Amino acid sequence: MIQLGFVLILLIAGYIFGTAREKSHFISLRDREQKLNMISWRSTGKKEVFEGVSESTLVMGHVVIGQDYFKSFLAGLINLVGGRVSVYETLLDRGRREALCRLRQVAKDWGGTEVVNVRFETALIGQNQGKQRAGAVEIFAYGTVVK
Amino acid sequence: MIITNIESIPGREVIEHYGIAQGSSVRAKHVGRDFMAGLKNLFGGELRGYTELLSESRDEAMERMIKQAQSMGANAIVNVRFSTSAITVGASEIFAYGTAVKVQ
């Protein structure tokens, strides 16, 4: 009974804090994306011949992002019936946008104008022993900035 | 050392190829960090401890790759790629590789 109560408290706390943090994260992402408008990015350009480019360098951005207790519990339930696991879709969306924002921020600080050949990589991090539940994901973005 | 993940260095001409330069780094997090991350995992959001850990690890892998390229006599690395894999529970490997070249 005590255990059940404990889980319930964790679920409620996870729901309240997790939702609030997700909301503020999306707001901050939108703001930063607007500020980084002038740094364009694309996934092409690997074999391109760049005219009028004097300098270039590798830039990276990454983030490790975790799911809250409520949403991972919900994902476990969805897993039973199958279908779209929307709680993880938003998590990965947040992670990708965050990693891209950081990458573009580095590119901006460096004085670049465009990031080419952007690649994303996703890795599972800190999976708890024996537990199926994914602890966190690392999303890593890298590309070449030119100016 | 100029590093890019495209097949050339824009504005420079590649005059010599030296083959692959690589670097890797395997890191595990310590218990304190793990505990804090677990706690944070309840509420969701960024796990800063892990973000820092992986960025240190990636820097080390890059450093090793650069060192290897330098020992070959290269002054640039093109077409750099990364890969991450979880070796065991609690440790992950970051691997960076690219082609060491000499540019003008």
Side-chain angles (χ1 to χ4, degrees):
Chain A
M1 204 60 205
I2 292 166
Q3 246 180 356
L4 199 70
F6 194 60
V7 168
L8 208 65
I9 288 168
L10 285 180
L11 280 176
I12 293 166
Y15 177 73
I16 293 168
F17 288 106
T19 311
R21 290 179 74 164
E22 184 175 274
K23 220 173 175 179
S24 66
H25 192 194
F26 272 127
I27 291 168
S28 111
L29 277 172
R30 215 179 43 216
D31 282 358
R32 278 182 293 157
E33 275 166 2
Q34 250 161 20
K35 278 183 199 146
L36 291 167
N37 246 341
M38 65 288 206
I39 310 288
S40 64
W41 65 280
R42 55 193 168 101
S43 61
T44 55
K46 196 166 185 124
K47 294 185 180 174
E48 206 170 299
V49 178
F50 292 89
E51 301 280 344
V53 169
S54 58
E55 270 184 80
S56 59
T57 191
L58 187 77
V59 283
M60 305 179 274
H62 79 128
V63 66
V64 177
I65 196 164
Q67 188 69 291
D68 64 61
Y69 194 80
F70 175 75
K71 289 215 181 92
S72 41
F73 182 80
L74 200 64
L77 289 184
I78 295 172
N79 239 346
L80 294 177
V81 290
R84 264 184 65 188
V85 190
S86 53
V87 287
Y88 275 114
E89 285 176 353
T90 56
L91 181 82
L92 288 163
D93 181 40
R94 276 164 76 193
R96 291 234 163 82
R97 283 168 69 184
E98 179 70 42
L100 195 60
C101 263
R102 289 181 183 181
L103 174 132
R104 286 163 87 192
Q105 188 60 51
V106 176
K108 192 187 168 193
D109 293 343
W110 186 77
T113 50
E114 193 186 22
V115 188
V116 299
N117 199 24
V118 174
R119 293 283 179 271
F120 286 100
E121 209 180 276
T122 312
L124 269 179
I125 302 289
Q127 207 151 10
N128 294 335
Q129 272 100 332
K131 277 187 199 159
Q132 281 286 305
R133 188 165 74 85
V137 283
E138 191 220 12
I139 301 188
F140 174 54
Y142 60 107
T144 299
V145 59
V146 296
K147 75 173 169 194
Chain B
M1 185 66 71
I2 311 167
I3 301 169
T4 68
N5 76 334
I6 52 178
E7 291 193 357
S8 61
I9 306 281
R12 308 273 194 112
E13 206 188 321
V14 174
I15 47 174
E16 214 169 332
H17 281 265
Y18 295 102
I20 280 181
Q22 58 182 49
S24 84
S25 155
V26 180
R27 293 235 176 163
K29 60 232 179 218
H30 65 74
V31 183
R33 249 177 183 168
D34 217 13
F35 176 73
M36 282 308 287
L39 216 62
K40 263 199 130 173
N41 218 358
L42 295 177
F43 306 129
E46 184 184 354
L47 310 174
R48 276 218 178 94
Y50 285 172
T51 306
E52 271 164 36
L53 182 87
L54 283 161
S55 101
E56 281 163 23
S57 187
R58 197 159 279 127
D59 286 347
E60 194 177 14
M62 289 259 292
E63 229 166 75
R64 287 180 178 166
M65 176 178 75
I66 289 167
K67 230 174 232 166
Q68 198 179 48
Q70 275 168 345
S71 72
M72 291 171 179
N75 64 357
I77 307 172
V78 296
N79 210 358
V80 170
R81 286 175 217 175
F82 292 94
S83 81
T84 314
S85 44
I87 302 294
T88 60
V89 177
S92 58
E93 188 215 18
I94 288 180
F95 181 51
Y97 59 106
T99 304
V101 295
K102 186 174 247 175
V103 293
Q104 274 169 338

